[in-house]
Every structure is written in C-alpha cells, then in structure tokens.
Amino acid sequence: MILFEIKNLVKHFGGLAAVNDVSFQVEKGEIFGLIGPNGSGKTTIFNCISNYYPVTSGSISFKDQNITGMKTNKICKIGIGRTFQVVKPLGRLSVLDNVIAAAFSKVQTKQEARDVAMEILEFCGLSHRKEVIAKSLPIGERKRLEITRAMATRPELLLLDETAAGLNPTELDDAIDLIKKIRDKGVTIIIVEHIMKVIMSISDRIHAINFGQTIAEGIPKEVSNNRAVIEAYLGEEYAQG
Amino acid sequence: MKKFMPLILLIILIIFPLVIQNAYYQHLMILVFIWVAIGSGWNVIAGFTGQVSFGDAAFFGTGAYTAGLLAHHFQISAWWGMAFGGIMAMAVAFPFGWICFRLRGAYFALASLALNEVCRHIATIAEPLTQGMVGILIMPTFVSKIPYYYIAFVLAVISVVFVQVVMQSKWGYYFLSIREDQDAAESLGIDTHRYKMVSLNIAAFLTGMAGALFMNYMGFIDPEVVFSLHDISIMAILVGIVGGVGTIYGPAVGAFVMVGVHEFFRTGFFGFFKGMAALTGSDFLNVAAKYISHAHVLGFGILVVLVILYLPNGIVGDWNKLIGRFFSITKKEAAT
Ligand SMILES: Nc1ncnc2c1ncn2[C@@H]1O[C@H](COP(=O)(O)OP(=O)(O)O)[C@@H](O)[C@H]1O
Ligand SMILES: [Mg+2]
C-alpha cells in the first residue's frame, strides 16, 4: 500500500533549482532511504514536505490526501513527524519538557502528555536524561532527542534528516537499533543519511538524487551498483568503506 | 519553610492596610498590585512566549478608557470596565496580533511600539468620544483606600495564579516552545500563529483589567497618562526584567521594586534633595531636586543596565546567586 507520494517536485531558490522534478512513492511500513551528495537537495525535499517553504511546483500526498501547501503544524497533526539535520532542541527546557510539548499534539491534559512522554523517552532510551536541560546535552543525545520528540507526536511517517551524523561508533549502533525498533512499531520512515553503513543496512529501498534530480532508485544492492550513483556519490566514500 | 512563603506573604498583605493606616503607603501598595497584573500579562507574551512587546500601554489605556467612557457617556458604573476593559483590550490585541505576528523578533517589537502610539493618537484626536487631552474625570466610588487596596490585591493574586495555571497546561508548554524555537514548535504540531494570539490576548486581558482598575482608582485619565510609552509600556518591561523574565513570581517582585524605584525618583530620593536644599538654602540643590524628579526614565535606564549586567535572569531568576553574593559579602565582613 502506498502511504506517501511525491510527484514531480520542483523547488527553486532564486535561479537555483535545488529540487528538480523528483518523484517517489513510499510503501507503508518500509524504511525508505534518500541519498545524494552534499547540497543535492535532500533537506530541501524534507522542508518542502513539511512546508517550511512553498514548493515551486509538483504535489505531495499522504494517505491519498493531497497535502501540498498544508500548514507545517497541520502536517505534523495528520501524522508526519520530522527531525532537523541542524538540531532544534527547545534549549532552556528539560528533555522531559521537550517531549511533553510534543506529546500535546495528540493529547489534551498535562497528565496524559506526561505519560506519553515518559513512555516514548523509555522507548527511545533517553529516560535517564529526562531532567537535563536540553541545550546541555552532547550532540549524540541531542540527535536522539530530535527523534524522541518527533515520536512523541505519534507519527505514521517519520522523516529523519541525518540523525546519525556526528555519532561515535557505539552511538551509531544504538541509532540503527532505534530506527529499526521504530519501524517494527509500524512507523514508516524516510531516512536521509550520509553514512553508507547506516543507509545500506537498514533501508528497504533507496532513492538517489544528484543536483536535485533523480539518478537511481531500487533496493540497496541495485543502487550501490548503479553507475550514476557510484560516479556521483559513492565513488569516494563507499570505496573507502 | 519555602512552601509556606506564599501563604505567609498573602496573610501579611491581607492585614497590611489594617496595620499600616498611612494612606500614602496604601496608595503605593495599590500601585504595586496594579503592576503585578500588568507585569504578569507582559511576562506571558514576552517572558514565556518570547514575543517582546513595547505596546502594553495600548491595552492598559484601552482598559482604562473603556471603564472611563462607560461611566462618562452611559452613567454605567466604571467597575463594569473591569470586565469590559479586559475584553476591549483583547479586541485591540486581536487584529493587531493577527497581522503583526507574521513578523518575528525585533520587527514585532517595533510594530507593538507603533500600536502604542496609534492608540495614544486616537485617544487624543477622537475628542467627541474621549474628550482628547482634557481627559476623563469620574467620581470615585470610595473615599477610603482600603476597598481599592483589596480589589487591587485580588486582581494581583488572580493574575499570578492564572498565569501559573496556564503555564502548567498545554498552552504554557506551547508558549515556551514558541519562545525556544518557532520552527521546531511548528514541526511538533504547534500552530505558532494561533498560540501567539492566545498569549497576546491573555496579556491584553490582564493589562486591560489593570487599566480599568486604574481608572476607577485614580478617577482621572488622559491619553498622556494611560497610553504613555515610558510610564506604562517601558515600565511593564522593567517590571518583567527586574523581577525575572519567564518566572511566575518575577512580576510580583518586579512590581514591588519598580514602584519603589519610580517613587524614589518622583519624590527626589524620598525628599532628600528638597530637604537638603531647605537645610542649606542652596539654589543648586533646589533646582537639582526638581530635575531629579523628572529623571526617573534615566534612572530606569541605569537600573536596566545594572540588572542585565549582574542579574540577567532578574531577582527571582537569579535569587540563589543574589543570596550567595550577599552571604559571601557578609562572610568577608565577619572575617575582617
Ligand atoms: N533556504 C535556502 N535558500 C537558498 N538556497 C538554499 C536554501 N536551502 C537550501 N538551499 C540550496 O539548495 C541546495 C540543496 O540544499 P540541501 O537540500 O540542504 O542539500 P542536502 O540536504 O542534500 O545536503 C544547496 O545548493 C543549498 O545551498
Ligand atoms: Mg541536508
């Protein structure tokens, strides 16, 4: 079943076509990898999906509903959660309060929100840090807080933007485990990731772009053997491991 | 002990006018209570929601004029203004916020400054309605200050408790999220425009009620008094900053300190300069006394600089630091 679809998405910044005619479909329950070299337009696609800026043309649909141009907060409400590549913690609030604020998107009372928050913190392995002020977390845990907060809005589709960047090897393994755990919960995931180990090992399918244009799509093996992909992107990095 | 502090404070404030019969001190306390309400309102929109407003006088003046005009034109008790004043202030806040919350940060602050000035000009020009610069005079309801004291006291308590309740709710979390990161807030499902409106309207309502009480208490208002940029809007900011931005009890402490400071300047350091002038017969001191009483804005400026330098989180926010510093000084003195 198709949960989410982008059709002919175009986004111009002035004269620059950051995204140029990208289309893809995401099946319910899968982990869909989105790859491409730096500046190829991955974050811009996410920002178009959550409508941080209007698309130049093209359409976005979720559960057979056209959501192009829907307000950012509404997009979260209908079930699309996201994280930011450049993390955006609610700096002066505690980790718990960050998650409570997110939990309010689906419940009304403080008690309910707190219960949801505690449950999600436990699930994401951050409950031992709940009293800490968000801005004093190290980067690894800030990335984890991004995921935790997005999960507290109870998404059906989760957009992860480089949540593994800047993590040490142990944290990286933890992050992979968490993403798999989230998928096993039934949440569909679109993941943007630079680290090949992560994206190749967890994605069901991968969509590769370069200069805002699609260059390949398929299962990880196909994509990693694709000539255009190797040239554009994997060339240096994948060869090195 | 700390748990009983608010209760003890409440009891002291309740018996205060019965013990201190001096009308002047009762008057100052009434002003403090009015400022607690205004400061609490400002703190909601600026302190908790992060949308710094220079426009509180617009709400204060609207509340005051609502009360005054009801009495003046319709012979309806100005006390009705307490309710209607808050609602009319919201009626001003609503279209303003609707349009201006598309602006962020300093731009919103500038827009609120403009709102302040627009309201003052309207009140000045619309003479058939407001009597312009002549102002509005109504008959005071009570001779004694004590009824006003308790009404103002109740308004102050309601303001603080209301803000505390709001900040424990979904609204409170949403306000803080908007302050911390508006983009993150949107991505968490928070309609930032809507909740900024909610926050501004809470501020407007509390400030409008305070304005209406001011009308009832003072018996006279004119546009220069109730739409004053420095005496209302800036003062509201000072109450917030000195007490502690984004703390529940900050505005209460800030109101107490700022009314004191305001009075200190207005009276020329509590009559110190006048007294000295009379004592020494010095013309210079006499002139100085006159200027000092007009220099409270300068005094405010210096105070803000000192607070930002030494207590960036205000008296309540930096309470532990303040206590620590005090004790380290007394310890040093004991050692020498
Ligand atoms: N807000 C913006 N304004 C102008 N140009 C932008 C903006 N956001 C991204 N870009 C440009 O769009 C291109 C794609 O950027 P981005 O989507 O961040 O790439 P990626 O996430 O794949 O590294 C880059 O050339 C970038 O400079
Ligand atoms: Mg990016």
Side-chain angles (χ1 to χ4, degrees):
Chain A
M1 185 197 135
I2 307 294
L3 181 75
F4 177 80
E5 181 173 19
I6 285 179
K7 261 197 208 140
N8 308 106
L9 184 71
V10 177
K11 176 65 195 175
H12 289 194
F13 290 116
L16 173 85
V19 180
N20 198 357
D21 199 20
V22 169
S23 304
F24 58 75
Q25 297 180 328
V26 179
E27 299 268 343
K28 189 170 168 55
E30 76 175 331
I31 297 183
F32 187 85
L34 184 60
I35 64 169
N38 254 329
S40 58
K42 305 178 298 292
T43 298
T44 305
I45 291 177
F46 276 12
N47 284 339
C48 287
I49 295 171
S50 48
N51 197 14
Y52 271 91
Y53 17 77
V55 303
T56 306
S57 68
S59 72
I60 303 161
S61 61
F62 177 64
K63 295 204 282 188
D64 297 326
Q65 184 191 0
N66 184 353
I67 61 162
T68 325
M70 188 181 267
K71 273 192 183 172
T72 304
N73 64 77
K74 195 83 195 302
I75 285 174
C76 167
K77 284 247 164 70
I78 61 166
I80 302 181
R82 74 166 293 184
T83 69
F84 292 93
Q85 179 176 3
V86 180
V87 293
K88 293 183 185 293
L90 306 175
R92 284 176 286 179
L93 306 191
S94 70
V95 166
L96 177 62
D97 285 341
N98 266 262
V99 184
I100 289 178
F104 272 121
S105 73
K106 291 283 155 64
V107 298
Q108 288 304 314
T109 69
K110 169 93 186 276
Q111 190 55 47
E112 288 169 312
R114 207 189 135 85
D115 291 345
V116 171
M118 292 300 287
E119 179 201 323
I120 304 282
L121 278 166
E122 191 67 47
F123 178 81
C124 294
L126 210 53
S127 53
H128 61 294
R129 303 288 273 166
K130 66 175 188 287
E131 305 298 344
V132 179
I133 298 301
K135 70 174 171 200
S136 61
L137 287 177
I139 184 67
E141 287 176 332
R142 281 193 203 196
K143 295 254 174 184
R144 187 159 282 241
L145 175 59
E146 284 279 316
I147 301 178
T148 311
R149 220 170 47 179
M151 283 300 289
T153 68
R154 303 276 196 211
E156 280 179 65
L157 174 67
L158 182 60
L159 313 179
L160 298 176
D161 196 352
E162 308 219 8
T163 44
L167 303 187
N168 66 35
T170 335
E171 289 173 331
L172 203 58
D173 288 337
D174 289 348
I176 293 174
D177 285 345
L178 177 59
I179 293 166
K180 283 183 176 157
K181 240 170 77 178
I182 292 171
R183 190 259 319 268
D184 293 342
K185 239 187 155 184
V187 178
T188 308
I189 297 171
I190 303 179
I191 179 168
V192 164
E193 199 50 71
H194 233 84
I195 304 166
M196 280 305 118
K197 178 185 161 193
V198 177
I199 202 98
M200 289 297 164
S201 66
I202 63 176
S203 303
D204 296 306
R205 286 188 306 136
I206 292 178
H207 188 99
I209 59 172
N210 196 14
F211 298 115
Q213 280 176 312
T214 299
I215 52 175
E217 187 185 289
I219 60 168
K221 221 176 146 106
E222 289 165 8
V223 172
S224 63
N225 289 329
N226 182 291
R227 194 157 193 89
V229 175
I230 294 170
E231 269 173 22
Y233 180 55
L234 298 175
E236 328 128 281
E237 294 197 27
Y238 199 52
Q240 291 162 9
Chain B
M1 186 61 208
K2 220 174 162 183
K3 238 172 118 181
F4 293 110
M5 270 302 277
L7 198 67
I8 293 169
L9 194 65
L10 279 183
I11 292 169
I12 291 174
L13 289 175
I14 288 170
I15 57 175
F16 178 90
L18 308 176
V19 177
I20 311 283
Q21 309 255 337
N22 183 322
Y24 174 63
Y25 291 114
Q26 292 177 356
H27 165 71
L28 288 187
M29 285 309 290
I30 293 169
L31 291 183
V32 168
F33 293 144
I34 289 176
W35 280 104
V36 172
I38 301 171
S40 296
W42 182 85
N43 202 27
V44 170
I45 182 66
F48 290 119
T49 319
Q51 311 298 309
V52 175
S53 158
F54 282 89
D56 259 35
F59 309 136
F60 183 80
T62 302
Y65 265 97
T66 304
L69 295 178
L70 280 178
H72 185 78
H73 288 299
F74 306 109
Q75 281 73 47
I76 297 169
S77 164
W79 291 107
W80 282 102
M82 292 289 287
F84 288 123
I87 291 167
M88 285 305 289
M90 283 165 72
V92 170
F94 203 89
F96 169 72
W98 190 261
I99 297 165
C100 294
F101 273 137
R102 282 153 232 277
L103 304 171
R104 288 194 188 187
Y107 297 102
F108 173 76
L110 285 176
S112 67
L113 186 69
L115 177 72
N116 195 144
E117 295 304 290
V118 166
C119 286
R120 189 163 57 82
H121 280 292
I122 291 175
T124 310
I125 294 163
E127 279 178 7
L129 181 69
T130 65
Q131 305 203 82
M133 291 304 290
V134 176
I136 301 277
L137 187 69
I138 62 170
M139 288 306 286
T141 321
F142 310 108
V143 179
S144 158
K145 296 221 180 288
I146 292 182
Y148 293 108
Y149 179 96
Y150 285 113
I151 293 166
F153 174 68
V154 169
L155 178 67
V157 171
I158 288 176
S159 302
V160 172
V161 171
F162 178 66
V163 171
Q164 188 164 25
V165 170
V166 165
M167 290 315 295
Q168 282 305 313
S169 73
K170 171 170 157 171
W171 285 4
Y173 276 86
Y174 279 12
F175 295 167
L176 293 173
S177 303
I178 291 169
R179 178 186 77 187
E180 292 301 314
D181 193 315
Q182 203 172 310
D183 290 331
E186 276 283 332
S187 82
L188 299 178
I190 299 169
D191 187 340
T192 54
H193 189 263
R194 175 172 164 192
Y195 285 96
K196 281 194 266 185
M197 291 289 289
V198 171
S199 174
L200 182 70
N201 277 281
I202 290 174
F205 187 78
L206 292 178
T207 311
M209 287 220 293
L213 176 58
F214 184 84
M215 171 81 255
N216 276 290
Y217 173 57
M218 301 302 275
F220 172 76
I221 56 169
D222 71 25
E224 297 293 326
V225 170
V226 293
F227 288 114
S228 163
L229 177 63
H230 56 270
D231 279 342
I232 308 292
S233 293
I234 304 284
M235 177 86 169
I237 295 173
L238 287 168
V239 166
I241 292 179
V242 169
V245 173
T247 60
I248 300 285
Y249 296 108
V253 174
F256 191 81
V257 172
M258 285 313 298
V259 167
V261 171
H262 193 275
E263 203 57 18
F264 184 63
F265 277 97
R266 197 185 64 81
T267 56
F269 296 4
F270 295 135
F272 172 79
F273 274 88
K274 266 218 179 86
M276 285 306 280
L279 207 66
T280 58
S282 153
D283 275 344
F284 171 74
L285 282 178
N286 221 341
V287 174
K290 219 165 87 195
Y291 279 109
I292 287 282
S293 60
H294 291 295
H296 66 274
V297 181
L298 179 67
F300 284 2
I302 295 168
L303 189 74
V304 169
V305 171
L306 290 178
V307 167
I308 289 174
L309 277 180
Y310 296 108
L311 297 172
N313 301 310
I315 294 171
V316 172
D318 280 328
W319 182 249
N320 290 332
K321 197 162 126 190
L322 200 66
I323 294 291
R325 195 165 281 171
F326 178 74
F327 276 112
S328 73
I329 288 170
T330 47
K331 253 188 227 139
K332 258 185 228 146
E333 276 171 357
T336 50

